[in-house]
Amino acid sequence: MTEKIGVLAKKSAPRTGVERVVNAPLPTVYGPFTAVGYLDHDRGDEQVALVYGDLGTEDVLTRLHSECLTGDAFGSQHCECGDQLDSALRAVVAAGSGVVVYLRGHEGRGIGLLGKLRAMALQAEGLDTVEANVALGYPVDARDYGVAAEILRDLGVRSVRLMSNNPRKREALVRHGIQVAEEVPLLIPPCENNITYLRTKRERLDHRLPHLDAVAHWS
């Protein structure tokens, strides 16, 4: 009887890690992708990787894109996220293959949609994006890229050409066992509505944004 109870307990143990749930064809304005859906059992998030072409295993053109409802769906000019997503999808199609891992749970650098909106309200009053998060009691950046590394491993990817201006993404992937063969800048022309936000990312979060020097005249 004890042995049977032990077996039942083992079978009912909760799953951990990332599980691939579905592959679905996804025709887009950029080209035909495959949407690979995952469930992150540790956090409960549903994740998706948009795969184009035959990825191979080495030097795969890759974007880790943090969820941004306001930028990706609403066209917000507060950030450059929507334009970066657009550019990344176009880039993998132009390259013939690649993957965009769209990371749910990363809204507002990990503080959630309502937290981000509260932070944006404080920024409208004069705080920068770092100061606003801290004033609300949030971490400056709460994102975890471990799930992205697990997804890439599931796709058979061992090394990437990473489309990013954020050195922390490279550090996180390497720490989780994915090699970064090259960092590919993803520079979007700034506008007057996001120049302060972008300068804060460069000066306080170490993002590589050399193109901002061309608009030094904007206050």
Side-chain angles (χ1 to χ4, degrees), residues 29-138:
V29 296
Y30 310 99
F33 283 80
T34 297
V36 186
Y38 292 88
L39 178 59
D40 179 354
H41 288 283
D42 297 322
R43 297 169 185 80
D45 293 324
E46 296 174 334
Q47 305 288 3
V48 63
L50 298 181
V51 175
Y52 185 83
D54 182 7
L55 293 184
T57 61
E58 306 293 338
D59 301 350
V60 176
L61 187 61
T62 299
R63 166 75 178 165
L64 308 184
H65 190 85
S66 294
E67 176 183 26
C68 177
L69 179 67
T70 51
D72 299 339
F74 301 151
S76 170
Q77 290 189 325
H78 182 269
C79 62
E80 81 278 43
C81 299
D83 288 332
Q84 284 189 318
L85 179 59
D86 177 81
S87 295
L89 291 167
R90 292 184 187 280
V92 298
V93 171
S97 66
V99 57
V100 175
V101 181
Y102 194 87
L103 292 163
R104 308 284 306 282
H106 276 206
E107 189 79 56
R109 298 198 303 276
I111 67 174
L113 178 59
L114 295 183
K116 180 174 78 170
L117 293 177
R118 292 187 181 102
M120 288 169 61
L122 290 181
Q123 289 169 63
E125 297 175 3
L127 298 186
D128 68 32
T129 182
V130 171
E131 293 166 342
N133 276 31
V134 171
L136 291 167
Y138 293 120

Side-chain angles (χ1 to χ4, degrees), residues 55-57 60 62 99 152-160 178:
L55 293 184
T57 61
V60 176
T62 299
V99 57
L152 290 172
R153 273 193 294 273
D154 178 75
L155 293 170
V157 175
R158 291 199 296 258
S159 71
V160 300
I178 302 294

